[in-house]
């Protein structure tokens, strides 16, 4: 037993040594040249200036505004992308899902991005579990960040608000009540594919829900499926962002995006 314990310690020490060697935290015995402060300064190209939004949640100057209360010009019907988005604008403020009219999608396509979107569960609380205030944001039209009225509404953890649907549960449930607005700030890195179409690196996502991190650089394991294990069936490039009509009157406002 003691021998096994010591062997384990030796293996761990060796592993730690190997891990250390991967990083350049051990200075070389002799520097190849005498370093000066300016030798590690990057001056060009100069970093682009972006004017931040006035308040938290406001679009910065380089954002593409996808909805600001005025119109749905940046959106079309997913069923027929030649047709306008079939959801309604209320009070020149927010969009409300028209149940069973179908999903909507952006006209523009995106890959790596930072997306800000605000949503509210339907005003009238009805249904339970996945039937209560269900919608979703589909990144590249494939990978769903779940939207659900998860306020006092138990469901499977990887199906509640802030989850990567049927993949990763959120770290915490920070959903506000149905008459309040929720914010999602989503930082998304698209999957990478090899020239032969096989996956090179899966997509990753960080989701900040109402100012709280609920997905911390989580790996997206593939195409969102209702049944079955997720995977990446085919290579793809930039694609639209779609919002789900799950038969509930979910509301959306202040949607903007930055390409990264
Ligand atoms: Mg959904």
């Amino acid at each position: 037993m003691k021998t096994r314990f010591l062997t384990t310690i030796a293996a761990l020490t060796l592993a730690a040594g190997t891990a250390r060697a991967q990083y350049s935290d051990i200075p070389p015995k002799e520097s190849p040249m005498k370093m000066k402060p300016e030798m590690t300064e990057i001056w060009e190209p100069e970093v682009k200036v972006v004017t931040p939004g006035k308040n938290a949640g406001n679009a910065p100057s380089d954002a593409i505004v996808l909805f600001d209360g005025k119109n749905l010009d940046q959106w079309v019907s997913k069923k027929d992308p030649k047709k306008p988005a079939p959801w309604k604008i209320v009070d020149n403020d927010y969009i409300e899902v028209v149940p069973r009219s179908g999903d909507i999608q952006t006209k523009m396509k995106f890959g790596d991005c930072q997306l800000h979107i605000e949503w509210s569960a339907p005003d009238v609380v009805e249904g339970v579990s996945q039937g209560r205030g269900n919608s979703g944001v589909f990144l590249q039209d494939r990978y769903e960040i779940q939207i659900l009225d998860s306020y006092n509404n138990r469901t499977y953890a990887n199906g509640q608000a802030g989850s990567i649907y049927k993949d990763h549960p959120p770290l915490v449930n920070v959903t506000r009540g149905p008459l309040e607005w929720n914010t999602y700030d989503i930082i998304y890195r698209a999957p990478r594919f090899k020239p032969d179409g096989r996956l090179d690196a899966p997509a990753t996502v960080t989701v900040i829900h109402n100012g709280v991190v609920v997905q911390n650089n989580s790996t997206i394991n593939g195409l969102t499926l209702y049944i079955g294990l997720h995977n990446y069936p085919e290579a793809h490039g930039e694609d639209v962002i779609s919002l789900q009509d799950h038969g509930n009157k979910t509301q959306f406002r202040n949607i903007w995006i930055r390409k990264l």
Side-chain angles (χ1 to χ4, degrees), residues 134-136 144 146-147 244 246:
N134 195 333
S135 183
E144 183 184 13
Q146 174 70 311
I147 288 175
Q244 185 183 44
H246 203 284

Side-chain angles (χ1 to χ4, degrees), residues 123-229:
D123 297 346
V124 179
V125 178
E126 51 190 7
V128 294
S129 188
Q130 292 291 305
R132 187 183 297 179
N134 195 333
S135 183
V137 181
F138 282 77
L139 300 161
Q140 292 192 300
D141 206 26
R142 291 168 176 81
Y143 315 110
E144 183 184 13
I145 306 301
Q146 174 70 311
I147 288 175
L148 192 78
D149 181 358
S150 287
Y151 184 79
N152 291 333
N153 178 34
R154 189 81 203 278
T155 189
Y156 41 93
N158 58 354
Q160 69 184 64
S163 66
I164 304 169
Y165 185 69
K166 290 259 177 121
D167 189 343
H168 277 266
L171 292 168
V172 289
N173 179 1
V174 69
T175 314
R176 292 196 171 111
L179 296 176
E180 295 177 278
W181 287 94
N182 290 269
T183 61
Y184 275 176
D185 287 285
I186 298 172
I187 299 137
Y188 174 67
R189 186 177 190 270
R192 268 47 175 177
F193 297 93
K194 295 176 176 163
D196 67 3
R198 284 181 304 146
L199 184 69
D200 195 9
T204 57
V205 72
T206 292
V207 180
I208 300 168
H209 182 184
N210 296 332
V212 176
V213 173
V214 294
Q215 297 290 344
N216 181 11
N217 196 30
S218 303
T219 298
I220 297 177
N221 286 307
L223 181 68
T224 298
L225 298 172
Y226 180 53
I227 299 170
L229 298 173

